Amino acid sequence: MASIELRNITKRFGDIIAVNNLSLEIQDGEFLVFLGPSGCGKTTTLRLIAGLEHPEVGDILIDGVRTNHLSPADRDIAFVFQFYALYPHLTVFDNLAFPLKAVRIDQSEISGLVQEVARLLQIDRLLDRKPSHLSGGEMQRVALGRAMVRRPKAFLMDEPMANLDAKLRVDMRSELKRLQYELGTTTVFVTHDQVEAMSMADRIAVMHRGVLEQVATPHEVYNKPQSMFVAGFMGSPSMNLLHGCVQSDGGKTLLRLDHTNVSWELSDEQVSNLGSGHREHALVFGIRPEHIRISKEPVNGGIKAAVHLVESIGSVNIIDIFLGEDPETTNLITLRVRTHPSFQVESGQFIYLEFDEKHIHFFDSKTERII
Ligand code: ATP
């Protein structure tokens, strides 16, 4: 087990800054997930930790020791790839034994170590088979077993479940989490799948264009996003993000959403949270679809708007509510709301909506960071 520290890491490929001044401490025994869209620098960060890439700037420390100069083999870290990378001509037993033979572990010990890992991964009945006679899930377990058998200081996993079907991914997620918990091995896992990240991580490190946007527990990343990018990336459907402006009107402070006729009075607490710097300023208003209440009957303080589209996805309905149209881009300004499927409405029908005050987020429209 090991702690891993990245200090001000920058990595370029020609003109592309794949990783931009990234600093992060991964605790001993932690399950840390790098999450972000394609090309955001997740794999490069993982490869830097493994020693497969080298930073232009910055240091990588494993257990407090600077490892920049160490080869991948000398870092005592195991890498599990998206593609299983099993030897097709070797049996499962020999695939699992391979990393032990490579470091010259005594033959008498090898069988015991392989059996132990195979039992843990429930592949002990497959030890005589070749990879071509295994299912995708079984191959993935063997690949994991190969990483585990050496008892490395840490596991680095790059989308290891990307090739599995949806059901198997769900099963493997909980199994991997259980295994990691039992072994207590520091694990750094890369994915672009937010559900995978939310369900497995102790902490999620969200990346965007080479920059670490936020690192926090899944609960915090979802409920207290520190930037518009994180707010929009987490959640399905994602958070509603609407441009607006804070204005004083008589003794009241109002929030007006751009290109709509929607405005409402902010509470004293919200006004004080905004701080004087953001009053009378443009900002971005954020609210998740599950934090908007809608009703068919008028409610005191409710905002009247028309239903644009209703999407029924079984356990919930997603309703798009029309608020206006941006005259420059002709983009519709809609708000997505999540409701119980029993809430039946049709396109064109008027409804009344209210925002759950505890779950409103305000972002600076220039910096795109939370206010
Ligand atoms: P994905 O989820 O698609 O694998 P990622 O978040 O893992 O994406 P990286 O693979 O780390 O992203 O790539 C980050 C950026 O660096 C991308 O713009 C990519 O094109 C570029 N890049 C990565 N490796 C190389 C390379 N060997 N040569 C040139 N550019 C590279």
Side-chain angles (χ1 to χ4, degrees):
M1 290 194 282
S3 62
I4 300 169
E5 187 181 347
L6 306 174
R7 277 191 197 157
N8 307 106
I9 297 292
T10 295
K11 173 70 188 173
R12 286 193 174 82
F13 295 105
D15 294 340
I16 297 166
I17 306 181
V19 180
N20 193 352
N21 195 24
L22 188 151
S23 292
L24 174 65
E25 284 183 44
I26 303 166
Q27 310 298 324
D28 187 6
E30 187 174 22
F31 197 131
L32 183 115
V33 176
F34 278 106
L35 174 69
S38 186
C40 71
K42 311 178 291 289
T43 297
T44 305
T45 308
L46 207 65
R47 289 172 61 82
L48 285 160
I49 299 173
L52 298 167
E53 301 285 356
H54 298 282
E56 263 93 64
V57 181
D59 290 323
I60 296 167
L61 291 89
I62 298 178
D63 273 340
V65 177
R66 188 172 177 273
T67 58
N68 293 37
H69 58 288
L70 291 184
S71 72
D74 291 332
R75 296 186 187 202
D76 193 13
I77 275 176
F79 210 118
V80 184
F81 296 94
Q82 177 173 347
F83 302 101
Y84 316 121
L86 301 179
Y87 296 110
H89 59 289
L90 298 182
T91 61
V92 168
F93 182 96
D94 289 329
N95 265 287
L96 293 173
F98 195 87
L100 299 174
K101 288 182 180 158
V103 290
R104 300 186 199 285
I105 300 253
D106 203 61
Q107 190 67 31
S108 59
E109 266 187 69
I110 289 181
S111 177
L113 290 169
V114 167
Q115 297 281 355
E116 191 188 333
V117 164
R119 259 196 308 277
L120 206 57
L121 289 165
Q122 294 162 11
I123 47 171
D124 36 346
R125 62 194 170 79
L126 307 174
L127 289 172
D128 295 331
R129 289 206 204 160
K130 298 262 177 73
S132 57
H133 291 103
L134 300 176
S135 69
E138 289 165 345
M139 280 197 259
Q140 189 50 268
R141 278 165 215 244
V142 180
L144 275 175
R146 271 181 21 149
M148 284 162 56
V149 77
R150 256 189 326 111
R151 296 278 163 101
K153 281 186 177 168
F155 297 129
L156 305 182
M157 302 190 182
D158 191 359
E159 308 231 16
M161 303 193 236
N163 295 330
L164 304 181
D165 67 49
K167 159 100 180 55
L168 207 51
R169 278 175 85 127
V170 174
D171 294 346
M172 279 301 279
R173 255 188 237 151
S174 42
E175 196 163 325
L176 191 60
K177 180 72 191 158
R178 173 187 65 81
L179 270 174
Q180 197 271 344
Y181 183 74
E182 281 176 18
L183 297 170
T185 310
T186 312
T187 301
V188 188
F189 188 103
V190 158
T191 183
H192 59 263
D193 180 339
Q194 48 160 312
V195 179
E196 207 160 271
M198 292 287 286
S199 60
M200 291 195 298
D202 292 325
R203 283 189 308 158
I204 300 176
V206 186
M207 289 189 72
H208 177 44
R209 296 186 183 149
V211 172
L212 181 60
E213 290 267 330
Q214 184 172 359
V215 56
T217 62
H219 183 268
E220 261 182 280
V221 165
Y222 188 82
N223 292 295
K224 293 182 180 166
Q226 294 300 299
S227 68
M228 275 169 61
F229 175 78
V230 176
F233 192 74
M234 305 300 295
S236 179
S238 59
M239 185 184 284
N240 295 290
L241 293 167
L242 300 171
H243 287 267
C245 187
V246 179
Q247 291 175 343
S248 297
D249 185 359
K252 300 177 186 167
T253 306
L254 300 181
L255 180 73
R256 283 189 198 285
L257 298 182
D258 294 352
H259 314 304
T260 75
N261 56 12
V262 176
S263 69
W264 69 96
E265 186 179 354
L266 296 177
S267 68
D268 291 346
E269 193 183 342
Q270 285 174 329
V271 174
S272 97
N273 285 347
L274 278 175
S276 54
H278 290 95
R279 291 177 205 149
E280 307 288 328
H281 269 76
L283 49 68
V284 173
F285 162 77
I287 189 145
R288 291 210 178 275
E290 63 269 32
H291 296 141
I292 302 170
R293 286 186 297 276
I294 61 172
S295 55
K296 293 180 203 170
E297 308 306 326
V299 274
N300 199 9
I303 295 161
K304 188 177 177 189
V307 170
H308 179 57
L309 266 178
V310 181
E311 216 181 311
S312 187
I313 52 171
S315 59
V316 292
N317 280 353
I318 307 297
I319 302 179
D320 285 8
I321 293 170
F322 179 74
L323 296 180
E325 188 175 324
D326 183 338
E328 281 168 31
T329 61
T330 65
N331 285 341
L332 295 185
I333 310 229
T334 54
L335 200 62
R336 305 198 87 190
V337 184
R338 210 156 96 168
T339 66
H340 193 271
S342 61
F343 186 85
Q344 298 283 326
V345 278
E346 288 172 9
S347 300
Q349 193 174 333
F350 283 104
I351 50 86
Y352 298 84
L353 49 95
E354 292 168 287
F355 304 124
D356 183 344
E357 208 173 278
K358 290 192 300 296
H359 293 101
I360 288 175
H361 308 258
F362 291 119
F363 299 92
D364 185 305
S365 53
K366 285 204 189 78
T367 64
E368 302 197 350
R369 303 294 300 176
I370 193 95
I371 295 174

